Amino acid sequence: TVAMDVAINCCWSELAAMQPVAGNRQQASLLLQTISSCGSVGNVKPEVVEEGLSTLLLCGVDDVLSLSSVVSRNCDLAELSQSLQDSLLHYLLAHVASAEPPTEPLYLSADLISSVQGGPPQKVLEELLGPAGPLLSILSSPASEDVQRACLRCVAVCGSALRPGSLAPDHALLQELVRLLARACRDLHCKLLLSVLRALRSVLVRTEGLGTCPLLPSLLTCLKGQLLCGLAWDATALPSPAETPKSRVARKPRPPRQTVPPAMTSSDSEVSEGEAPSLAPPQPRIRQAVHSCLQAVFESLDKQTVVKYWLSFLPDGPRLPHSPPSLLTCVLKDPAPKCRRAAACVLLCLLEGSKPYLAPAHDKVAAAQPFTPYSLVLGAVVHELHSSLLPAVAMETNAGVRVQLIKCLAALVANAPYHQLKAGHLSQITCTLQEASATRDTDVHVACLTCVGAVLSISTPLKEPTQWLQSHQPPWVLQHCTSLLQSPGSQSPLQTEALQVLTALIKFHFTTVWFWWNEIMDLYLNHLSTFPSHTQLHVLKFLEEFSRSLSATLEAKAVVVWQRLLEGPLAALLRDSCAHTLCAQAFGVLSTVGAKVFQALPSHCQVLALSLPLSFSRDSSVHRSVRASAVRVLGVFVSFSCLAEDSSFLVDCHSVLLQCVACSCQQVCLQASWALGNLTETLSLSPLLSPLYPPLLEAVAAGLREKEKVGCNLVRASGNILRTITEEVLRTCVSSVEKICVHLCKSTSSGSMKLRWNACYACHGALSNAAFVSSCASSVVSQVLSAPSTRCLIGPAAGRPLLSCGGVQELQGPHQRSAGRGHSPPLHTRPVCASVVCSVQGSAAQ
């Protein structure tokens, strides 16, 4: 052994000292074969090995098998220099096709791609996986299974390093992988199937537009066939819910759509490539890989395409002895926790975002029907989801699997139309969650609270959530969440989720829990300053919803709450601009105070509520989110009737908003434009403040060229001004008015619906003033006669414009005069058009 180590050291030293030229290729090849035959490196220094490898590559040795063997057994790829890694990878890719067999070079290439920092260049990966690349050539050739598995390992690593969307749905590699998958499923070879699935998943997540792939149905068919690979089951042996509605959808027994695949066999060992030896059977890893591929497919597809495959993976009727396997079968029957969790992840992908597609679902069976409506089939699917998920959550012992199942239940609650389904589902869900939340596992507890929040957030009024809340006094959810907030040992995720549940409770069920509003406020006010910052954000969101609900129902109590808020921790948060997220949210809370509540507040609270948003709106150094929130508060306050006569406040708001609407920050500018619309409505009621109009018109004329959202708000503001402006003020700002009128005429026939809506209202306001007839009247009539939507006609048709012009023919352009010759407006708009034209004609005659 000592002599062998000495010989290896001599070979490496000679390689390191050799000139890296083509003339030394033969000598370098002999030294490489000697090192390869000896085995390990021994005690050779790593820098000597690296210099020797560089010499071998530069000399151009063509013994790729020996080089791969030496590198694989004797080098730590992560410790090689970046330049040597790149050179070695290019060498292997150039010679892998000529190696026989190419198994070891392929594995080494995969390891190199994984170890390259930042990954190899995308161009290299695309060439490697392309139609002319060596990997596709090896996969499509009649190579041995070992070679194909090595090639698939390289494909999986390359796919993981690609950018998302790098592959097209008709890529030759994807087609070849689907062909290999079908062959592996047919021949029942575990190791090859596992390698294909891993490579397929890495390619699927990098494929863009998978919905247009012509092989998608074949791919999903193959994946569905291996959902329960190696398992035999009886569908009727699966657990059933405690209660099942007696009325079920009448369906005829159908023959099984698919039989159970027999247990797969393999002549190879049960150890997959790149893994340590294990006695575990490969079938669970295959099932887990199948679920990973399904998840990659469903995440890549749009929801409309995903819904088309629902009935292939979800049951639409009760379980029968020969029912085909489904995702729910995997969730309930698979003995491997990782496989159950993976199946639940796929189910979650199917359920998320499905609300518009589940909207027709119902389970009200008619007396006799010649066919089963699709809405009834969807209702049966929803029923089976409840029938399987509820017992699965109750019986599951693995915490990770249980969390995923509860997430699936929350997604189902958020998307199912319970007002069209028979009662009982939500009651079973709340009972199951109440029992599951008694666990000590934090993740499971958080998931239960998330699902409870989904139940409470159902916007459609239902009896079941209300009955559940009224079954205990105080309600269990209120008592449970408040105890989590008060307990010093509660973890932060639990407290955050409890705050969100209470926010949903207040928003949708305030009338049920208003009796305990004082205790809730004491809890929040006493703990607002003690919570960590990320939890305080959720506290403020709760206070915003609580203030809105309380002001709408209990005004007297709302005054007490707001006085405590402004004299307590909320004022401290409003003054702290350094914590900009909390400060911005605190201004959001301040914006929910109603006009009547504000008027009833003590004077010192009113002064504080007015001075803080004015101060932060003026300060350009504060964070943009804080400044935008403060400006929005001003926009709310200027619409209060109790402040409409406070001229000093309106003048201050006027100057601040003019400064903010010219701000370069789009977020601040948008809120300022909205606030200007409210300010101009208030100013239109006070003729004494008309001197404020000229700078407003100038700012509006300059801001109309901004983005559409800002311009839409400023169009509304311009209409408020033009409706009440006097001739004396008009003479001082003729240029700005002309610019505004040109923009209004343009906006009535172009832009978004909201912009056109506001422009039509603005023109209607302008038509109330005779000074604007010549610039706006023809545009309004033109828009009325050609408007495709009735919404754009409401504003101009709302009154009788006071026009002084020569007649309706002068107002109409050539297009409108030819209305009777094939250019008439739509039928549903003609009555409105006629009323406006008659109004114009009547005013013209006067």
Side-chain angles (χ1 to χ4, degrees):
T1 304
V2 175
M4 187 175 295
D5 288 345
V6 172
I8 291 175
N9 272 281
C10 292
C11 291
W12 280 110
S13 300
E14 188 175 350
L15 277 174
M18 186 182 298
Q19 290 292 330
V21 294
N24 295 329
R25 180 184 304 170
Q26 185 176 1
Q27 184 181 357
S29 298
L30 292 175
L31 293 172
L32 174 64
Q33 292 176 3
T34 302
I35 296 173
S36 176
S37 61
C38 291
S40 61
V41 172
N43 57 355
V44 184
K45 296 181 179 180
E47 55 269 19
V48 175
V49 175
E50 187 164 339
E51 292 178 4
L53 289 176
S54 299
T55 301
L56 291 171
L57 296 176
L58 293 174
C59 289
V61 296
D62 53 2
D63 192 354
V64 64
L65 294 179
S66 298
L67 182 62
S68 301
S69 176
V70 168
V71 174
S72 300
R73 289 182 294 175
N74 304 313
C75 295
D76 187 355
L77 298 178
E79 294 182 358
L80 297 179
S81 64
Q82 185 71 38
S83 59
L84 183 57
Q85 287 180 353
D86 294 341
S87 301
L88 186 57
L89 180 60
H90 283 86
Y91 172 83
L92 292 171
L93 297 180
H95 293 81
V96 68
S98 60
E100 187 59 41
T103 307
E104 195 159 8
L106 285 170
Y107 280 134
L108 181 59
S109 300
D111 294 338
L112 271 172
I113 294 172
S114 301
S115 61
V116 172
Q117 187 176 4
Q122 294 293 311
K123 185 177 180 181
V124 174
L125 295 174
E126 292 174 2
E127 291 177 356
L128 188 60
L129 298 174
L135 298 182
L136 186 59
S137 175
I138 294 174
L139 288 177
S140 57
S141 64
S144 65
E145 185 176 330
D146 290 338
V147 173
Q148 286 188 332
R149 292 203 329 265
C151 187
L152 289 169
R153 159 82 174 168
C154 198
V155 169
V157 174
C158 292
S160 301
L162 275 175
R163 288 191 304 266
S166 301
L167 300 178
D170 57 347
H171 198 279
L173 179 63
L174 182 59
Q175 299 179 7
E176 185 62 30
L177 289 176
V178 174
R179 185 189 65 82
L180 280 174
L181 176 64
R183 195 191 77 183
C185 293
R186 183 182 67 251
D187 296 342
L188 305 179
H189 286 291
C190 285
K191 290 184 66 70
L192 180 61
L193 178 59
L194 187 59
S195 300
V196 173
L197 289 170
R198 289 172 174 170
L200 187 61
R201 183 194 178 279
S202 66
V203 171
L204 287 173
V205 296
R206 300 294 187 256
T207 303
E208 185 178 11
L210 192 60
T212 60
C213 178
L215 296 177
L216 181 60
S218 302
L219 170 62
L220 292 176
T221 300
C222 293
L223 293 175
K224 183 184 177 183
Q226 304 304 322
L227 282 177
L228 295 179
C229 173
L231 296 179
W233 83 97
D234 180 7
T236 57
L238 297 177
S240 300
E243 297 181 11
T244 304
K246 297 180 181 179
S247 176
R248 292 291 298 124
V249 180
R251 305 184 63 85
K252 295 181 179 180
R254 293 176 296 183
R257 288 174 284 185
Q258 187 170 348
T259 57
V260 184
M264 309 184 81
T265 59
S266 174
S267 58
D268 302 321
S269 65
E270 301 296 355
V271 182
S272 63
E273 61 275 13
E275 293 186 354
S278 174
L279 298 178
Q283 285 85 357
R285 285 176 286 163
I286 291 176
R287 297 196 297 272
Q288 187 178 359
V290 167
H291 294 311
S292 298
C293 288
L294 284 174
Q295 185 177 358
V297 170
F298 292 139
E299 287 179 347
S300 302
L301 298 175
D302 59 275
K303 287 299 175 183
Q304 187 174 4
T305 306
V306 170
V307 172
K308 295 178 182 178
Y309 295 99
W310 267 35
L311 296 181
S312 298
F313 292 92
L314 297 176
D316 58 345
R319 294 183 290 267
L320 299 174
H322 299 290
S323 296
S326 66
L327 284 175
L328 298 180
T329 312
C330 303
V331 167
L332 292 166
K333 187 67 176 177
D334 202 308
K338 290 184 178 179
C339 296
R340 295 199 301 273
R341 187 179 186 276
C345 291
V346 179
L347 182 59
L348 185 61
C349 289
L350 292 179
L351 293 176
E352 286 181 334
S354 60
K355 189 169 187 176
Y357 305 101
L358 281 178
H362 70 88
D363 54 4
K364 299 177 178 64
V365 183
Q369 290 180 327
F371 63 93
T372 303
Y374 182 65
S375 57
L376 200 60
V377 174
L378 283 179
V381 170
V382 173
H383 176 83
E384 292 302 319
L385 285 169
H386 286 88
S387 300
S388 298
L389 286 176
L390 287 172
V393 170
M395 296 185 305
E396 184 58 58
T397 57
N398 184 278
V401 181
R402 205 175 193 188
V403 168
Q404 285 302 126
L405 291 174
I406 297 174
K407 287 182 179 179
C408 292
L409 200 57
L412 180 60
V413 170
N415 295 290
Y418 287 99
H419 60 287
Q420 298 173 186
L421 303 175
K422 295 179 181 178
H425 294 307
L426 292 177
S427 300
Q428 295 179 13
I429 290 173
T430 51
C431 181
T432 302
L433 294 175
Q434 198 166 335
E435 295 176 358
S437 61
T439 180
R440 294 183 178 180
D441 189 276
T442 303
D443 295 333
V444 175
H445 200 167
V446 170
C448 289
L449 290 176
T450 303
C451 194
V452 169
V455 173
L456 296 175
S457 300
I458 298 176
S459 57
T460 306
L462 297 172
K463 293 182 179 179
E464 288 183 81
T466 304
Q467 292 173 351
W468 176 57
L469 292 174
Q470 294 175 347
S471 60
H472 299 84
Q473 297 297 330
W476 173 85
V477 62
L478 178 62
Q479 190 175 6
H480 184 68
C481 291
T482 52
S483 65
L484 289 175
L485 295 175
Q486 291 174 331
S487 175
S490 295
Q491 299 184 15
S492 180
L494 277 176
Q495 291 185 337
T496 301
E497 202 62 42
L499 288 169
Q500 294 180 352
V501 171
L502 287 177
T503 303
L505 180 65
I506 291 298
K507 182 176 182 180
F508 295 98
H509 302 276
F510 183 76
T511 56
T512 307
V513 298
W514 72 268
F515 183 77
W516 296 275
W517 72 271
N518 202 14
E519 290 80 357
I520 298 174
M521 280 306 304
D522 288 339
L523 170 67
Y524 276 85
L525 292 177
N526 294 335
H527 292 78
L528 179 57
S529 57
T530 60
F531 283 132
S533 57
H534 63 277
T535 308
Q536 285 182 358
L537 181 63
H538 294 283
V539 174
L540 291 172
K541 290 181 179 179
F542 168 83
L543 290 176
E544 181 177 353
E545 201 58 52
F546 183 81
S547 170
R548 185 179 291 111
S549 301
L550 193 64
S551 300
T553 54
L554 305 171
E555 292 181 4
K557 295 178 173 60
V559 174
V560 178
V561 170
W562 269 106
Q563 185 173 353
R564 293 180 62 186
L565 284 174
L566 292 174
E567 293 175 350
L570 184 62
L573 290 176
L574 288 171
R575 293 188 180 97
D576 188 8
S577 60
C578 296
H580 56 83
T581 304
L582 292 177
C583 186
Q585 188 63 42
F587 275 115
V589 177
L590 185 59
S591 66
T592 60
V593 59
K596 294 182 180 180
V597 175
F598 181 85
Q599 188 175 6
L601 286 173
S603 58
H604 68 280
C605 292
Q606 292 182 353
V607 171
L608 179 64
L610 295 178
S611 59
L612 285 176
L614 282 171
S615 175
F616 279 96
S617 299
R618 285 195 184 97
D619 192 356
S620 59
S621 62
V622 299
H623 194 269
R624 60 180 180 272
S625 62
V626 177
R627 195 180 184 192
S629 298
V631 170
R632 182 168 184 83
V633 173
L634 292 181
V636 173
F637 284 175
V638 295
S639 61
F640 287 176
S641 57
C642 58
L643 295 174
E645 299 178 358
D646 190 346
S647 57
S648 60
F649 170 70
L650 295 180
V651 170
D652 289 340
C653 287
H654 172 268
S655 61
V656 168
L657 294 179
L658 288 183
Q659 176 187 351
C660 293
V661 81
C663 179
S664 58
C665 176
Q666 187 69 20
Q667 186 178 0
V668 176
C669 185
L670 178 60
Q671 296 297 337
S673 64
W674 175 80
L676 275 179
N678 292 352
L679 176 63
T680 52
E681 285 186 358
T682 302
L683 293 179
S684 65
L685 303 176
S686 179
L688 298 177
L689 295 176
S690 57
L692 299 178
Y693 282 169
L696 275 175
L697 288 169
E698 185 177 353
V700 168
L704 287 174
R705 296 187 298 270
E706 296 292 333
K707 293 185 178 180
E708 186 167 293
K709 289 185 177 180
V710 175
C712 187
N713 292 329
L714 292 180
V715 163
R716 170 173 162 253
S718 65
N720 295 332
I721 297 174
L722 297 180
R723 186 174 63 250
T724 58
I725 192 171
T726 61
E727 294 184 4
E728 292 78 12
V729 177
L730 177 61
R731 284 193 292 268
T732 63
C733 49
V734 175
S735 176
S736 299
V737 171
E738 289 179 352
K739 293 179 182 178
I740 291 174
C741 290
V742 170
H743 187 84
L744 289 179
C745 294
K746 180 181 178 182
S747 299
T748 54
S749 57
S750 63
S752 66
M753 176 63 71
K754 186 176 180 181
L755 177 63
R756 296 173 63 189
W757 174 290
N758 288 349
C760 287
Y761 266 103
C763 288
H764 171 248
L767 289 175
S768 300
N769 193 327
F772 298 97
V773 171
S774 59
S775 58
C776 296
S778 61
S779 172
V780 172
V781 175
S782 173
Q783 173 63 16
V784 166
L785 292 177
S786 60
S789 173
T790 310
R791 292 183 65 188
C792 288
L793 304 174
I794 296 175
R800 298 175 60 87
L802 301 177
L803 302 177
S804 56
C805 50
V808 110
Q809 291 294 327
E810 297 178 4
L811 295 176
Q812 293 177 321
H815 174 76
Q816 287 75 29
R817 284 196 295 268
S818 60
R821 299 190 297 273
H823 297 279
S824 59
L827 288 175
H828 67 281
T829 66
R830 288 180 185 174
V832 185
C833 297
S835 65
V836 174
V837 173
C838 290
S839 177
V840 173
Q841 189 175 12
S843 298
Q846 293 175 4

